[in-house]
């Protein structure tokens, strides 16, 4: 009899699109998924999966996704408001609620007021996604009944501890990323050496990645101590940037190959 697995899904900007090909491998090989926990943008993909949308439908959605067209600039609070993105999510999920999905879902956010995690197992899917996608300093927070919600990666980027079952497939997008600081940039065939903006951008990007990797490592260590059996998928995608939404196909091949290598004996 085949084992059932839970999925813990980590975050890092454009890499969320490539979860589609992990999903494709899971579907092709009839791997049974009984529970999913995630945070941030990848939640859109797996909410679709939990509602029985097919990999081809999800792939079409991702490839047609125009991030810049959904960016509703607003400098009153933070950079991007929610009007366009919320309408986009409503077109996909309508009034569906988490408790009606075929697979147990946990959508996670951080409450800025209490510093605690909020795990949505019941709620309108659109609102739970809205809270979980709220990247600090980029998107406006989700305000509801005295809580101010943002992305859960602040506390834990790989939510294995929120899963009930012990057999877990964990997907991390930040292993071995950007080990070297790139100080030269080419823009329209002009090379900028040690340009102030790019140099500081590289340092900030590397700093955030170190913080996220550290909290993932801590989470995985705790999970192992409480007897959770984890298969970690973490392809080498260090050459890609967080804004490479136009490189879905290239990234997807690495993710599919990683799933093939790690999951072929399940």
């Amino acid at each position: 009899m085949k084992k059932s697995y839970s999925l813990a899904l980590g975050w890092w900007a454009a890499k969320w699109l490539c979860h589609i090909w992990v999903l494709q491998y899971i579907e092709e090989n009839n791997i049974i998924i009984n529970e999913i926990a995630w945070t941030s943008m990848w939640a859109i993909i797996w909410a679709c999966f939990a509602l029985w949308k097919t990999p081809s439908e999800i792939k079409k959605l991702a490839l047609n996704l125009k991030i810049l067209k959904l960016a509703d600039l607003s400098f009153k609070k933070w950079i991007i408001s929610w009007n366009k993105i919320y309408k986009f999510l409503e077109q996909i999920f309508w009034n569906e609620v988490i408790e009606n999905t075929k697979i147990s879902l946990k959508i996670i956010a951080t409450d800025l007021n209490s510093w605690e995690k909020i795990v949505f197992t019941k709620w309108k899917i659109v609102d739970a996604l809205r809270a979980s996608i709220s990247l600090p300093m980029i998107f406006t927070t989700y305000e509801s009944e005295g809580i101010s919600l943002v992305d859960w990666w602040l506390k834990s980027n790989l939510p294995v501890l929120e899963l009930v079952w012990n057999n877990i497939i964990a997907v991390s997008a930040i292993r071995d990323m950007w080990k070297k600081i790139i100080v030269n940039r080419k823009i329209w065939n002009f090379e900028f050496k040690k340009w102030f903006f790019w140099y500081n951008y590289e340092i900030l990007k590397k700093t955030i990645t170190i913080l996220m990797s550290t909290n993932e490592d801590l989470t995985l260590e705790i999970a192992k101590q409480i007897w959770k059996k984890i298969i970690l998928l973490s392809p080498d995608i260090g050459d890609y940037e967080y804004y490479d939404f136009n490189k879905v196909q290239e990234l997807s091949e690495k993710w599919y190959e990683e799933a093939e290598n790690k999951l072929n004996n399940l």
Side-chain angles (χ1 to χ4, degrees):
M1 184 176 175
K2 271 199 163 188
K3 283 183 183 177
S4 296
Y5 289 86
S6 296
L7 277 170
L9 305 162
W11 175 82
W12 189 250
K15 314 304 184 294
W16 70 284
L17 295 171
C18 303
H19 272 211
I20 299 164
W21 281 265
V22 175
L23 164 60
Q24 183 172 316
Y25 183 88
I26 285 169
E27 287 256 305
E28 288 173 357
N29 292 274
N30 298 312
I31 297 170
I32 301 166
I33 302 300
N34 56 17
E35 182 185 24
I36 306 172
W38 65 70
T39 187
S40 203
M41 292 182 181
W42 280 335
I44 297 171
I45 297 299
W46 295 96
C48 287
F49 177 54
L51 289 167
W52 283 155
K53 289 189 181 294
T54 65
S56 59
E57 287 175 317
I58 299 171
K59 197 182 299 182
K60 184 179 179 182
L61 166 68
L63 291 173
N64 292 325
L65 187 62
K66 306 297 181 187
I67 296 296
L68 291 178
K69 287 187 177 181
L70 294 175
D72 221 350
L73 297 181
S74 172
F75 297 99
K76 290 181 180 178
K77 289 187 178 179
W78 292 355
I79 298 174
I80 299 175
S81 67
W82 278 94
N83 296 333
K84 290 182 181 178
I85 295 175
Y86 196 84
K87 286 177 183 176
F88 169 74
L89 293 174
E90 283 187 317
Q91 288 172 3
I92 301 171
F93 300 106
W94 298 90
N95 290 315
E96 290 285 357
V97 292
I98 296 171
E99 53 267 41
N100 286 348
T101 57
K102 304 294 183 182
I103 299 171
S104 175
L105 301 183
K106 294 176 173 67
I107 303 176
I108 310 168
T110 305
D111 180 9
L112 280 180
N113 296 332
S114 66
W115 297 12
E116 297 297 327
K117 69 181 174 188
I118 304 293
V119 181
F120 297 105
T121 55
K122 295 180 179 180
W123 221 28
K124 191 176 173 183
I125 290 176
V126 172
D127 290 325
L129 291 175
R130 159 72 176 86
S132 188
I133 295 172
S134 297
L135 182 62
M137 303 305 297
I138 302 296
F139 295 108
T140 52
T141 57
Y142 186 90
E143 309 289 338
S144 175
E145 299 179 359
I147 55 177
S148 184
L149 299 176
V150 294
D151 202 312
W152 171 237
W153 73 262
L154 292 170
K155 295 275 285 184
S156 176
N157 197 54
L158 196 59
V160 294
L161 299 177
E162 285 68 37
L163 296 166
V164 174
W165 303 99
N166 287 336
N167 295 315
I168 297 170
I169 298 169
V171 185
S172 171
I174 58 174
R175 306 279 140 174
D176 299 321
M177 288 177 71
W178 306 314
K179 284 289 178 76
K180 282 175 28 179
I181 292 177
I182 301 169
V183 294
N184 298 337
R185 288 278 175 172
K186 268 194 173 181
I187 302 176
W188 297 319
N189 292 322
F190 291 98
E191 187 170 21
F192 296 85
K193 294 185 178 180
K194 295 187 178 179
W195 189 29
F196 172 83
F197 173 79
W198 284 113
Y199 185 72
N200 284 282
Y201 159 77
E202 291 291 335
I203 291 174
L204 178 61
K205 178 177 71 174
K206 192 175 179 71
T207 301
I208 292 172
T209 305
I210 290 169
L211 290 171
M212 291 168 71
S213 296
T214 301
N215 81 36
E216 282 195 7
D217 289 341
L218 179 60
T219 301
L220 290 169
E221 187 58 37
I222 294 170
K224 288 174 185 175
Q225 289 175 13
I226 57 175
W227 303 104
K228 290 190 179 290
K229 299 172 185 176
I230 298 169
I231 301 169
L232 181 65
L233 305 186
S234 56
D236 181 3
I237 48 177
D239 294 334
Y240 295 91
E241 290 287 349
Y242 72 90
Y243 48 76
D244 282 336
F245 288 94
N246 61 332
K247 296 181 180 177
V248 176
Q249 191 60 43
E250 296 172 41
L251 281 159
S252 68
E253 289 170 7
K254 289 182 177 289
W255 280 101
Y256 190 91
E257 184 181 336
E258 177 76 356
E260 209 166 26
N261 290 337
K262 298 282 182 68
L263 305 179
N264 62 353
N265 292 321
L266 297 185

